[in-house]
Amino acid sequence: MDIYKFIDPKKVDIKVDCIETDSLYIGEKVEGRKIKAFELVEIGSGKGIEIVGKLKDVLGINIKVSGVDDITASTLESLTPELMNRIRGLRYDFRKENVVITISDKIFDKLTLECIGEILYKAFNSLKIGDVKVILIADRDRFNKELKRAYEIHKTREEKSRISEEEVDEFYGCVSCQINLPNHVCVISPERPSPCGTIWGEAKAANELEIVNYYFEMKKGDKINGEYKSINKKVEEISEGKIKRIKLHSLLKNPPSTGLYSELIIFYIPEKDGFGIVDRGYKHKTPIGLSFDEIEKIVIGKQVEGFVGVSCAYLKSPKFLKDDGGWRKVVWASPKVYEYIKDFVDKGVLKRIQVGY
């Protein structure tokens, strides 16, 4: 699938002399060095490229832009993976604070931070949105500090955008994963972010800005037993009939399909008649005898009852698994998930949740 379907080439220019870039490299398989990274586009001043440290095992991508509001800045973040994935020999997975960049050993020494900075600076400048400053952070101490700041900014954006599904007439679809999963579509509602963490407000702004065009409006239609008639019709059309119905807040009956970059997977534990929640970083077996990676191979790109990919932000949703009993049905969580939920989940519920090791 050509990236020009998603990004207007007249608006974005990333042709550089330092490395080969092309839309053909979107979705290429890359093996090599893994880099932990984050992305943050925010309102700020200044121009040019600032490099902090030498590329080893971490990379913070902080882009400051002027002439836009905060929701537009947050939407422009979705441009970052699209640009980075056009670099030959580089694969950019996941979003926000959970980014993993894989760089082929063949290009690692050739692909300097200055080169990456040039690509991002040129691309964002070509949008004519105001001043642009690209800061690339490879120093671990500075990276850790800025990672925490990025998390807080993303958290605040999520909280500010919190409205109910009943307050809007439309949800948004996302087909960015169709590069690898041709029939997959995510449905993003105000109370259910995408599994990779995109919230409704970001998808709405991205659709209106027409910079990243894999988001699109989906009229809700009538709601019947937790399902939306028009949403079901659109999902069936996009999936070519493979998925006919979805319940946004269920994993037991017609759950949404799971895309490439789920932050978490929720699964059913028959022996407990309850749910477990596991994060991508948990490498041990879950109570159903499978690791995150093994579960993901089963569910990716599919609708599999008893499993569903979600984002961390969805755990805070008032409609969290509402159709299946919500938090009272959760009986197990990986340690990172438990640490994340302990500040907002009822203490009585927390006592019943077994924590992995």
Side-chain angles (χ1 to χ4, degrees):
M1 180 175 291
D2 196 307
I3 196 63
Y4 286 171
K5 290 185 179 180
F6 299 149
I7 300 175
D8 185 346
K10 295 177 182 177
K11 296 180 180 178
V12 180
D13 177 18
I14 65 166
K15 294 296 182 183
V16 292
D17 295 328
C18 57
I19 201 75
E20 188 176 352
T21 61
D22 197 287
S23 61
L24 294 173
Y25 302 128
I26 298 288
E28 71 170 324
K29 292 183 179 180
V30 176
E31 294 183 0
R33 197 175 304 194
K34 301 284 186 184
I35 308 292
K36 177 178 173 58
F38 72 82
E39 61 191 22
L40 174 64
V41 178
E42 60 181 327
I43 299 171
S45 59
K47 296 181 181 180
I49 302 168
E50 179 183 344
I51 306 296
V52 182
K54 184 177 180 181
L55 186 61
K56 293 180 181 178
D57 55 2
V58 296
L59 178 61
I61 300 174
N62 182 199
I63 301 174
K64 298 182 184 293
V65 295
S66 66
V68 300
D69 58 16
D70 187 60
I71 190 63
T72 302
S74 71
T75 301
L76 289 171
E77 275 184 15
S78 63
L79 197 55
T80 309
E82 301 300 336
L83 298 171
M84 294 288 284
N85 274 321
R86 292 166 78 172
I87 300 172
R88 185 176 188 179
L90 182 148
R91 185 177 175 97
Y92 187 107
D93 292 323
F94 313 115
R95 295 293 315 279
K96 299 181 180 179
E97 296 81 49
N98 302 305
V99 176
V100 177
I101 299 174
T102 306
I103 303 176
S104 167
D105 292 331
K106 293 180 180 179
I107 71 160
F108 190 86
D109 293 331
K110 183 179 179 181
L111 184 64
T112 64
L113 290 179
E114 287 77 10
C115 183
I116 294 173
E118 182 183 352
I119 290 169
L120 295 173
Y121 184 71
K122 189 172 185 180
F124 275 80
N125 261 308
S126 69
L127 299 176
K128 308 298 183 185
I129 54 176
D131 293 339
V132 175
K133 183 172 184 179
V134 174
I135 306 171
L136 299 179
I137 305 159
D139 174 78
R140 180 167 282 279
D141 290 340
R142 175 80 177 272
F143 173 86
N144 289 336
K145 180 181 178 181
E146 293 299 315
L147 178 67
K148 291 178 181 178
R149 191 175 72 86
Y151 170 78
E152 292 300 327
I153 290 173
H154 290 140
K155 179 181 175 183
T156 299
R157 286 173 176 172
E158 289 170 5
E159 291 171 350
K160 283 183 177 179
S161 67
R162 198 159 287 160
I163 56 176
S164 73
E165 292 173 351
E166 289 73 26
E167 293 178 75
V168 301
D169 295 324
E170 67 285 320
F171 298 160
Y172 288 88
C174 176
V175 291
S176 64
C177 288
Q178 285 197 358
I179 292 168
N180 299 104
L181 305 173
N183 301 117
H184 174 70
V185 57
C186 274
V187 178
I188 303 169
S189 84
E191 294 177 279
R192 195 186 195 283
S194 71
C196 68
T198 300
I199 59 178
W200 182 85
E202 292 170 344
K204 181 177 187 294
N207 180 62
E208 292 171 353
L209 283 169
E210 296 184 344
I211 293 174
V212 180
N213 290 330
Y214 46 73
Y215 297 113
F216 56 93
E217 186 178 289
M218 303 176 82
K219 292 295 183 183
K220 292 191 309 184
D222 297 330
K223 185 177 182 180
I224 304 172
N225 296 325
E227 299 178 18
Y228 292 91
K229 186 175 180 180
S230 294
I231 298 294
N232 280 345
K233 184 177 180 181
K234 192 67 175 177
V235 168
E236 182 175 6
E237 175 190 324
I238 293 172
S239 70
E240 297 182 349
K242 290 181 172 59
I243 300 174
K244 294 179 170 59
R245 298 166 57 190
I246 64 166
K247 273 191 172 184
L248 289 177
H249 306 291
S250 175
L251 68 82
L252 295 177
K253 185 70 173 177
N254 300 324
S257 62
T258 297
L260 286 170
Y261 306 126
S262 296
E263 294 177 344
L264 313 169
I265 293 176
I266 308 178
F267 54 91
Y268 180 63
I269 308 171
E271 295 79 7
K272 300 284 188 180
D273 188 28
F275 307 144
I277 310 174
V278 61
D279 67 274
R280 182 173 291 277
Y282 188 73
K283 300 305 179 185
H284 302 288
K285 300 288 187 182
T286 64
I288 59 172
L290 299 172
S291 66
F292 181 100
D293 292 344
E294 290 168 333
I295 296 173
E296 187 177 45
K297 288 177 182 177
I298 295 171
V299 304
I300 196 164
K302 305 183 188 77
Q303 181 184 60
V304 182
E305 293 185 343
F307 300 91
V308 71
V310 302
S311 66
C312 294
Y314 180 60
L315 302 186
K316 294 183 178 181
S317 171
K319 287 190 172 66
F320 172 76
L321 295 183
K322 180 176 179 290
D323 295 319
D324 296 335
W327 279 106
R328 67 179 179 82
K329 293 284 286 185
V330 177
V331 297
W332 185 92
S334 57
K336 284 186 179 179
V337 171
Y338 189 84
E339 186 67 22
Y340 180 76
I341 67 175
K342 68 180 185 180
D343 292 332
F344 60 86
V345 171
D346 181 81
K347 295 294 187 290
V349 171
L350 289 172
K351 288 180 181 179
R352 297 197 303 269
I353 296 177
Q354 180 185 353
V355 184
Y357 55 89

